[in-house]
Amino acid sequence: MNLLYTDIEDDLRASVKDLLTDRAKAADVIARTETTEPYDLDLWRRLTELGAVSLHVPEELGGQGASTREVAVVMEELGRSVAPVPFLGSAVLATTALLGCKPSDEVRSLLDAIGSGEQIATLAISLATAPGSTVPDAIRSDSGLSGRVRSVADALPADVLLVPAQGGSGLELYAVPVAQPGVEVTPVTSLDLTRPVADVTLDRATGTLLAGPEAAEPAVDGALWTAAGLLASEQLGIAEWCLATTVAYLKDRHQFGRPVGSFQALKHRLADLWGDLVLARAAARNAADEPGQLSASVAQALCSTVALHAAEECVQLHGGIGMTWEHPAHLYLKRAKADSIALGTAGRHRQLLAPHANIPA
């Protein structure tokens, strides 16, 4: 186990951070949430040009041949900027599900299209679905795929949906093009305006079979576990931004002739938060270094609550300005809250951890 960042990971972070500093400024992200186009697809194209979207895809399948460690670094920086791009849905959920399928021509073609930015894909499962509890909302019949999936992340900009469907012999996975009469993607009111969810309705839609019953379930479940582990890195980025921004503000804000941050009560709150963040970083790095059910549940059980607490403290300790629309603190609070119920709540992951140790559920 290696929880430290390598030189390659530091270089990748620097490249992604430079791009996001230039293209995902807080004011621009806030302004985009007020439009009818919540996703920054130009920024997404720049990320694909960096190779960030196909990092953990093997070279023989057209990817960068890196690992989930590098993906986690990108997730950290995206969390630090709450950038409105479909990374979780396309680069993590959909790509990992495809890697769990037999590398057929269809799978290879999709991986190449996603990595190049030619297409955006997402896994048509509710964002709230916890790993190990996949129940398909779609059914495959002779007339096509039918069903309704609620609260799908990154479905709005998607060109292709990876749809788990109940077939005659078990779970199957299909690639379903969005641009057809039998597919409807309906935006719903989302708490997190930088990653809105949508309902997907299928009515005898056509799709390409990617995996049959023997491979579909492990592919989908593996994607959910990997995404849960990597989501912890995004939550780490959120918490780090909130702490750093709050510390800087309390050093600058003066009251009664002294910096607000010099008051002992606030020092203790920030020190406690820093300690929580150190633990969260270790858990997130472990989930990135050794992806698996245990590491993902440990990371989610901890990072989910730390990110939300950090965002709440950020809003409160900024005082009146933290409550305004113009300050970006609310974006981080909403993302942290949405992440806290994504891919299983912290409570659900503690329940999943209970059989591994004498841990109260």
Side-chain angles (χ1 to χ4, degrees), residues 311-329:
E312 291 171 343
E313 290 287 75
C314 180
V315 171
Q316 290 185 8
L317 295 181
H318 271 79
I321 193 174
M323 308 292 177
T324 64
W325 180 262
E326 290 74 19
H327 195 279

Side-chain angles (χ1 to χ4, degrees), residues 11 21 33 73 78 91 96 105 107 118 136 144 148 193 227 254 275:
D11 290 342
T21 299
T33 65
V73 169
L78 292 175
T96 307
D105 291 342
V107 169
E118 180 183 341
R148 188 178 188 187
L193 301 177
H254 282 65

Side-chain angles (χ1 to χ4, degrees), residues 17-60:
K17 188 172 184 177
D18 287 346
L19 174 61
L20 295 175
T21 299
D22 181 52
R23 303 288 304 183
K25 297 182 177 67
D28 295 335
V29 175
I30 293 174
R32 183 169 288 278
T33 65
E34 299 173 318
T35 70
T36 57
E37 297 181 359
Y39 287 90
D40 188 343
L41 297 184
D42 184 59
L43 174 58
W44 178 248
R45 180 179 60 80
R46 301 290 184 92
L47 284 169
T48 62
E49 291 172 355
L50 279 179
V53 179
S54 58
L55 280 170
H56 67 309
V57 177
E59 291 185 38
E60 58 268 23

Side-chain angles (χ1 to χ4, degrees), residues 135-141 145-146 163-172 174:
V135 177
D137 293 298
I139 298 175
R140 189 264 300 163
S141 64
L145 298 165
S146 299
V163 179
Q166 186 64 42
S169 302
L171 188 69
E172 299 170 342
Y174 289 85

Side-chain angles (χ1 to χ4, degrees), residues 174-199:
Y174 289 85
V176 178
V178 173
Q180 59 172 299
V183 178
E184 182 180 358
V185 178
T186 307
V188 298
T189 302
S190 304
L191 173 64
D192 181 7
L193 301 177
T194 60
R195 184 186 285 147
V197 295
D199 291 346

Side-chain angles (χ1 to χ4, degrees), residues 252-275:
D252 184 64
R253 177 80 165 88
H254 282 65
Q255 190 69 36
F256 305 111
R258 58 190 289 194
V260 174
S262 66
F263 293 107
Q264 191 175 46
L266 301 188
K267 285 182 179 180
H268 285 181
R269 288 171 68 171
L270 293 174
D272 289 343
L273 183 56
W274 180 84

Side-chain angles (χ1 to χ4, degrees), residues 39 44 52-54 56-57 68 71 75 85-101 107 110-111 114 120-132 134 149-155 158 160-164 173-174 195-197 210 216-231 234 339 342-344:
Y39 287 90
W44 178 248
V53 179
S54 58
H56 67 309
V57 177
T68 51
V71 181
M75 289 286 283
V85 292
F87 194 87
L88 178 66
S90 197
V92 178
L93 281 166
T95 297
T96 307
L98 288 170
L99 292 175
C101 301
V107 169
L110 268 175
L111 286 171
I114 293 170
I120 296 172
T122 194
L123 188 62
I125 286 181
S126 172
L127 184 59
T129 303
T134 304
V149 190
R150 297 181 181 275
S151 302
V152 179
D154 298 332
V160 178
L161 300 170
L162 302 189
V163 179
L173 185 63
Y174 289 85
R195 184 186 285 147
V197 295
L210 300 175
E217 186 168 347
V220 172
D221 211 36
L224 293 176
W225 278 114
T226 299
L230 291 173
L231 187 64
E234 177 179 286
D339 280 358
L343 302 170

